[in-house]
Amino acid sequence: MAGAGAHQRGQILSAISTHATMLVRTRFAPSPTGFLHVGGARTALFNWLFARQQGGQFILRIEDTDQVRSTEQSAAGILQDLRWLGLDWDAGPVVGQGKNEYFQSMRLELYRQHLQELIRQGRAYEAYETPEQLAAMRAEAEKQKRPFRYRRQMAGRAAPGAAQPVLRFEMPWQDLHFKDLILGDIRVAGDEHDDIVIRKSDGFPTYHFAVVVDDHAMGITHVLRAQEHLMNTPKHLALYATFGWPAPQHGHLPLVFNLDGSKMSKRDRTKAARAALQAYARQEQDALFEKLARRAALSPATIRAFMARQNDDAALASKLAACIGCELPEIDVQDFRRSGYLAEALVNFLALLGWSPGGNREILSRREMIEAFSLEQIGRTSGRFDRKKLHWMNGEYIRASSIEQLGAAVDRFNEVTDYPLQHADADTRRQLLAMYQPRMATLVELARNSVFFFQEPVYDAAAVAQHVLQEPGPVVLREIETRLKAVPRWDRENLAPVLEHILALGQKRGAAAQTLRVVVSGGAVSPPLLETLLLLGRDKTLGRIARHLAAIRREPPVPAHGSDLS
RNA sequence: GCCCCCAUCGUCUAGUGGCCUAGGACAUCAGAUUCUCAGUCUGAAUACACCGGUUCGAAUCCGGUUGGGGGUACCA
């Protein structure tokens, strides 16, 4: 509990007026230090939904005050991801046009002026400790089992030295209270605060300072942000109070975690890739990293370094994982896009992670979400990201889409992936979409499963052994060949009865279909044969059959193991 | 350690003192349909963390315990 100002608890900040009559303005303010994380996307979405629901505005601002980690490239990536998600902003950076005033690095003069203002008021002061000195002070405090708080009045502050000083804000000693839009009353005792750094030694403002200046300058009325910012809020409110500005209302969103409760971090991907590589190495033994290196066009040393955790390159992880056919957990928005999720489905899923429209509704259009959205219905408990539910939901969206809509989604998908699908002509693509719509949950499933239409299949040895080489496979296949060769015209009318006949071959209805399916598609799973043969065409179909029959002639008996026709 | 927040099926949640012997969705399991897969349909199993209060009555209100999370940076 607080000392000095305990009796004043709640007085100062709760007295600040709200913006009840003003136009609602929310914002999303990512720092461009990487790709857009799904957690960030959800924060953006909630701000967007609230603004749209209230008939207000949604602002985008890039918080690039960390000179070391911020890059323009990642800012561009974030903009692209937001656009893909369909979260349009009413003010903010313009895609593809460098920096403007919605980048904090372009607003340094504004911060400088306000810093001056605080100095004039005597509320900001220079501090001369080096990071090392501060670390030592914290360590000492911990040793004495007392919390460390940097305050202007404390003993042992460093005298001016060689190092560039930082500017700190003198926090008031009063207990602070505010009403969180989601969590309700939050109280923090006066002696819990540090005098936060507001200008770093490189002259840039810190987040704490820039966020307050900008939210005020941009007329933000409601700040919805992740719960990790909860303890920052009193500091920000103290700044508003000092400037005499009305503060926006704050709401803190519960965090999102992996299913196992761990943080969703980009390093989940490199970790998963490493684990898969390790398992792969165990199973195939010897010099396969060399083999892998050749396949991925990398040096074996790079792979070794990756395995030894000497680098944590996400792109490298993706590449290696692709080489050994391993799926990495999606973390960033673009990961989901590359995995073939539809923006609409991801948005719907994200909306339901922490918000509920009430009742039993699950699938909501954007319009319905906007109409139903309310802060009261946002939960307070952290959520876990269940990819299986997303997967299901994506399937729902795919099945509810028209072929045209799916075509458009495939276009967006093709922009960030590289599958044979992208070479399909319009008509082929239509047919593929119609064929796969009921049996895919993501576009990646379409892209991967339809490869055999574009190139010779990679045959599944076990399937070939079971359905083609093993009797009655060879006999059946010969019969199939004869029948198909006799088809006068390769169209639905002529093919359908032949297929009926094939289904009836052998003792078990449908067994022969598997023989044909494997020969034609490479594996035991494909879309219905009629559609498959129609799209594949006569030449490819008969060609693949002929090649298998030739192989059987070369190796007549049929023990267990596979063929290598690919 | 200290400060703050949170707590309903495995997961996301409905629930705002009686409508709750707790509803939905995903996942799981079983069955049906079927040329494979998927889809679809039917059914099953599974939760109010614990202990005390308040109340005629508590998942819902209060206190504590336990558990989880966040913060404690010249990162945001």
Side-chain angles (χ1 to χ4, degrees):
Chain A
M1 256 311 286
H7 61 285
Q8 298 182 43
R9 154 175 297 224
Q11 302 270 300
I12 298 213
L13 296 166
S14 57
I16 288 170
S17 70
T18 59
H19 299 253
T21 58
M22 291 177 67
L23 181 69
V24 165
R25 283 167 71 93
T26 65
R27 47 69 163 184
F28 177 55
S31 66
T33 54
F35 299 106
L36 180 60
H37 189 275
V38 271
R42 190 192 59 151
T43 301
L45 173 62
F46 281 26
N47 277 286
W48 182 86
L49 282 172
F50 184 62
R52 295 286 171 261
Q53 200 279 322
Q54 295 281 314
Q57 295 184 321
F58 174 64
I59 282 96
L60 181 61
R61 181 177 70 229
I62 303 296
E63 309 220 317
D64 55 347
T65 53
D66 185 335
Q67 290 194 86
V68 181
R69 296 194 305 150
S70 298
T71 68
E72 260 184 85
Q73 182 200 7
S74 95
I78 290 171
L79 301 192
Q80 235 174 41
D81 289 339
L82 287 170
R83 287 185 70 212
W84 178 70
L85 288 169
L87 304 183
D88 54 323
W89 50 96
D90 301 299
V94 179
V95 174
Q97 291 206 11
K99 291 188 179 185
N100 63 7
E101 70 272 27
Y102 289 91
F103 285 78
Q104 291 188 322
S105 60
M106 302 300 277
R107 319 179 112 245
L108 263 20
E109 175 55 22
L110 180 70
Y111 307 131
R112 197 194 57 75
Q113 285 168 15
H114 287 95
L115 252 6
Q116 280 307 314
E117 164 72 16
L118 286 185
I119 292 170
R120 218 176 303 130
Q121 282 191 40
R123 295 295 301 277
Y125 63 94
E126 291 185 336
Y128 302 93
E129 288 77 12
T130 63
E132 295 73 33
Q133 283 173 305
L134 284 169
M137 290 160 90
R138 288 193 185 98
E140 177 59 23
E142 186 167 347
K143 221 169 79 185
Q144 294 177 25
K145 299 195 167 181
R146 103 190 125 71
F148 176 75
R149 306 272 180 256
Y150 193 106
R151 306 299 306 235
R152 191 174 198 168
Q153 313 303 347
M154 72 182 187
R157 290 188 42 218
Q164 278 296 311
V166 300
L167 208 59
R168 285 182 186 265
F169 170 61
E170 186 177 9
M171 280 290 288
W173 284 90
Q174 287 97 338
D175 295 359
L176 300 178
H177 159 250
F178 71 99
K179 206 168 184 68
D180 189 274
L181 292 166
I182 293 161
L183 299 172
D185 289 321
I186 305 291
R187 297 166 194 285
V188 182
D191 51 8
E192 286 298 325
H193 306 290
D194 273 289
D195 287 351
I196 49 170
V197 173
I198 52 180
R199 188 191 66 202
K200 309 181 223 181
S201 54
D202 67 3
F204 268 57
T206 59
Y207 161 73
H208 296 299
F209 190 74
V211 78
V212 167
V213 170
D214 283 344
D215 281 344
H216 175 256
M218 296 179 183
I220 302 303
T221 58
H222 298 259
V223 173
L224 301 177
R225 48 164 42 155
Q227 219 170 93
E228 61 200 6
H229 287 296
L230 185 61
M231 289 296 97
N232 294 332
T233 308
K235 299 168 186 180
H236 299 169
L237 292 176
L239 242 15
Y240 282 103
T242 302
F243 281 119
W245 295 336
Q249 304 208 63
H250 290 78
H252 290 90
L253 271 15
L255 268 15
V256 179
F257 298 97
N258 285 316
L259 216 44
D260 65 4
S262 62
K263 274 192 195 176
M264 282 182 90
S265 130
K266 30 200 134 217
R267 298 189 54 195
D268 291 350
R269 306 197 101 222
T270 48
K271 235 163 57 187
R274 254 191 297 263
L277 247 19
Q278 226 140 38
Y280 177 79
R282 213 170 298 135
Q283 129 201 142
E284 277 192 38
Q285 69 218 232
D286 78 40
L288 68 125
F289 276 176
E290 267 78 4
K291 205 171 95 194
L292 198 55
R294 241 171 293 128
R295 226 193 297 171
L298 296 163
S299 82
T302 309
I303 299 180
R304 294 230 158 70
F306 177 75
M307 292 307 286
R309 297 195 189 131
Q310 281 155 16
N311 83 51
D312 237 9
D313 184 354
L316 178 58
S318 306
K319 200 168 188 181
L320 291 171
C323 282
I324 61 170
C326 141
E327 310 286 345
L328 261 25
E330 299 88 357
I331 302 293
D332 296 319
V333 168
Q334 60 156 6
D335 298 334
F336 289 94
R337 183 171 170 188
R338 289 207 178 99
S339 288
Y341 289 95
L342 306 187
E344 293 297 324
L346 185 57
V347 162
N348 192 156
F349 178 78
L350 252 17
L352 259 32
L353 198 52
W355 171 71
S356 164
N360 293 332
R361 299 211 275 168
E362 295 281 342
I363 306 284
L364 293 93
S365 70
R366 231 169 253 259
R367 171 160 293 291
E368 289 169 323
M369 276 185 247
I370 290 170
E371 276 168 16
F373 194 75
S374 84
L375 264 20
E376 290 72 41
Q377 287 289 86
I378 295 177
R380 282 128 303 172
T381 58
S382 55
R384 295 176 186 221
F385 197 101
D386 186 352
R387 289 188 179 76
K388 284 197 172 146
K389 184 157 183 176
L390 204 214
H391 191 258
W392 161 78
M393 191 173 277
N394 206 58
E396 292 291 302
Y397 271 87
I398 282 177
R399 267 164 258 126
S401 297
S402 66
I403 298 297
E404 287 67 34
Q405 289 170 321
L406 286 178
V410 168
D411 284 334
R412 310 301 306 273
F413 173 72
N414 283 339
E415 287 166 18
V416 293
T417 56
D418 186 25
Y419 290 97
L421 176 64
Q422 66 187 199
H423 305 303
D425 60 63
D427 190 52
T428 301
R429 202 169 80 169
R430 273 193 89 73
Q431 293 188 56
L432 281 175
L433 284 171
M435 213 182 286
Y436 279 95
Q437 182 174 33
R439 68 196 79 250
M440 67 169 163
T442 65
L443 299 180
V444 145
E445 289 163 25
L446 164 68
R448 293 223 257 255
N449 295 336
S450 67
V451 168
F452 74 90
F453 285 104
F454 302 96
Q455 44 194 239
E456 284 305 297
V458 175
Y459 282 90
D460 171 352
V464 171
Q466 187 190 340
H467 297 291
V468 183
L469 301 182
Q470 196 174 287
E471 292 300 347
V475 188
V476 164
L477 194 55
R478 256 168 246 130
E479 170 73 8
I480 290 174
E481 184 185 44
T482 310
R483 289 279 172 169
L484 286 177
K485 271 185 168 163
V487 171
R489 280 196 19 245
W490 201 262
D491 57 21
R492 185 173 293 270
E493 290 65 38
N494 287 292
L495 227 35
V498 176
L499 216 51
E500 267 313 306
H501 178 84
I502 291 172
L503 287 177
L505 289 174
Q507 311 91 317
K508 223 175 76 196
R509 181 178 163 83
Q514 281 307 81
T515 304
L516 179 54
R517 169 168 284 118
V518 171
V519 165
V520 134
S521 77
V525 176
S526 86
L529 281 169
L530 182 56
E531 280 71 29
T532 300
L533 296 192
L534 245 16
L535 180 59
L536 192 59
R538 182 192 170 98
D539 293 350
K540 281 184 185 163
T541 303
L542 291 178
R544 287 176 194 179
I545 292 172
R547 241 162 299 144
H548 273 86
L549 286 174
I552 289 167
R553 252 174 268 123
R554 254 177 279 123
E555 298 174 47
V558 197
H561 244 17
S563 86
D564 195 13
L565 292 167
S566 54

